[in-house]
Amino acid sequence: MDGVNREVLKAVLRLTKNGPIDYTLVSKSARIPAQVADCSLRKLERSKLVNLKKKVLEISSKQRIEVAILALKSGSDFESICRQLKWKEFEEVSMKAFEAHNYVVKKNFRFSHREKRWEIDLVACRKPIIVSADCKHWKCNWSRAAIVNLVEKQTERTKSFADALPKLWAKLELKYWPHMKIIPIILSLQSSPFKFHRDTPIVSILQLQSFLTNMQTEIDCLTYFYKTLEPHRKQLTEYHQKSL
């Protein structure tokens, strides 16, 4: 958005994590003249990205996400913006990160397989890759046992998803995908001391863009399920793990 100071966007996110604020605090937090901050805030208000009532600035979760995306488009550092968001807002930003890499994303994807209901937090599709992401918000220290448990559950969830894919063509728009690689990942708000467990990546939200950029060239180093869906061939699910 032309004319909106990038530091104002960052200050708005930083100051409104816990609710409405006195909007005169924005210029102080952004370390810019009050007139410059006021001009940017008025432009944000006209675009319905913030609500100004007298000296109070209010902003909804949806508006905060839009402000975060605007800040990223203006050149703000991905990590610094992510640090200002709440977990539910992180899920939305995660979706946007996948979409920026041309993935079609389904959130809270539910399906049935073998008389059991399953749910995957994010399913991101870009031919021939499907990323099955389990989103976790950790408020305590990571432990190896916790990571092992997370990865094993996500691997099982992703295996069931791969097996159920013939019934999910329409829902995921995979009609013209003869084969695919389905990659389970753990996506976390905080960085984990372990980057992988049995070749399944544990990716901090702050590292997501880098992970997606490099994934195409590194996919054979990751755990994935290879699925063929060609109608003239037998349907097949193969498990790939480099360390096996």
Side-chain angles (χ1 to χ4, degrees):
M1 184 186 300
D2 293 339
V4 175
N5 186 285
R6 183 170 62 193
E7 295 305 315
V8 168
L9 298 172
K10 292 162 64 176
V12 167
L13 291 173
R14 185 164 53 246
L15 294 169
T16 60
K17 289 178 75 172
N18 297 316
I21 61 165
D22 180 339
Y23 81 76
T24 61
L25 296 174
V26 173
S27 64
K28 297 177 183 178
S29 180
R31 298 181 180 179
I32 60 174
Q35 287 183 328
V36 175
D38 187 70
C39 180
S40 291
L41 289 174
R42 295 298 174 186
K43 288 181 178 180
L44 290 174
E45 182 184 33
R46 287 194 293 272
S47 298
K48 299 182 179 180
L49 294 179
V50 299
N51 307 306
L52 300 178
K53 298 178 181 178
K54 295 184 179 180
K55 289 189 176 183
V56 177
L57 186 154
E58 296 179 340
I59 185 169
S60 67
S61 180
K62 181 177 182 295
Q63 288 172 319
R64 278 175 51 83
I65 293 165
E66 291 173 346
V67 168
I69 293 168
L70 182 60
L72 292 173
K73 288 181 178 178
S74 72
S76 295
D77 178 68
F78 187 79
E79 179 173 345
S80 67
I81 295 302
C82 284
R83 290 189 188 282
Q84 307 307 324
L85 297 179
K86 302 172 187 176
W87 178 244
K88 285 297 181 183
E89 296 167 344
F90 269 98
E91 288 186 325
E92 296 296 328
V93 171
S94 299
M95 288 181 63
K96 297 298 182 182
F98 277 105
E99 289 170 352
H101 285 78
N102 300 315
Y103 284 83
V104 176
V105 185
K106 303 288 186 182
K107 184 179 177 183
N108 303 128
F109 187 81
R110 297 178 178 88
F111 64 98
S112 298
H113 181 61
R114 293 182 178 175
E115 300 182 351
K116 184 175 179 179
R117 295 283 294 170
W118 302 84
E119 181 175 336
I120 298 175
D121 292 337
L122 294 178
V123 173
C125 305
R126 190 182 80 177
K127 191 175 182 179
I129 293 173
I130 299 177
V131 178
S132 165
D134 184 32
C135 301
K136 293 298 177 188
H137 183 190
W138 287 84
K139 295 183 179 179
C140 56
N141 292 330
W142 291 85
S143 69
R144 179 172 289 278
I147 291 173
V148 169
N149 184 52
L150 278 177
V151 169
E152 288 180 350
K153 287 185 176 180
Q154 180 62 359
T155 300
E156 179 187 12
R157 194 178 293 118
T158 304
K159 170 64 163 59
S160 294
F161 171 76
D163 288 340
L165 274 174
K167 299 183 293 184
L168 303 174
W169 278 10
K171 201 171 182 180
L172 290 170
E173 301 178 5
L174 303 177
K175 183 177 180 181
Y176 299 106
W177 288 38
H179 58 85
M180 59 210 68
K181 294 179 179 179
I182 305 104
I183 304 169
I185 73 168
I186 305 297
L187 183 59
S188 172
L189 175 57
Q190 299 179 12
S191 296
S192 162
F194 309 102
K195 303 303 180 185
F196 296 90
H197 174 66
R198 299 187 69 181
D199 299 327
T200 295
I202 298 99
V203 183
S204 162
I205 187 68
L206 306 180
Q207 302 164 332
L208 180 56
Q209 284 195 336
S210 174
F211 172 78
L212 293 175
T213 298
N214 298 321
M215 186 172 60
Q216 288 278 10
T217 57
E218 298 178 358
I219 190 169
D220 287 331
C221 296
L222 305 177
T223 290
Y224 64 81
F225 294 92
Y226 180 80
K227 184 76 174 181
T228 60
L229 292 176
E230 293 174 295
H232 61 282
R233 293 176 59 184
K234 182 180 179 181
Q235 292 173 5
L236 175 68
T237 302
E238 294 180 356
Y239 178 63
H240 169 89
Q241 183 183 311
K242 184 183 177 185
S243 60
L244 284 177

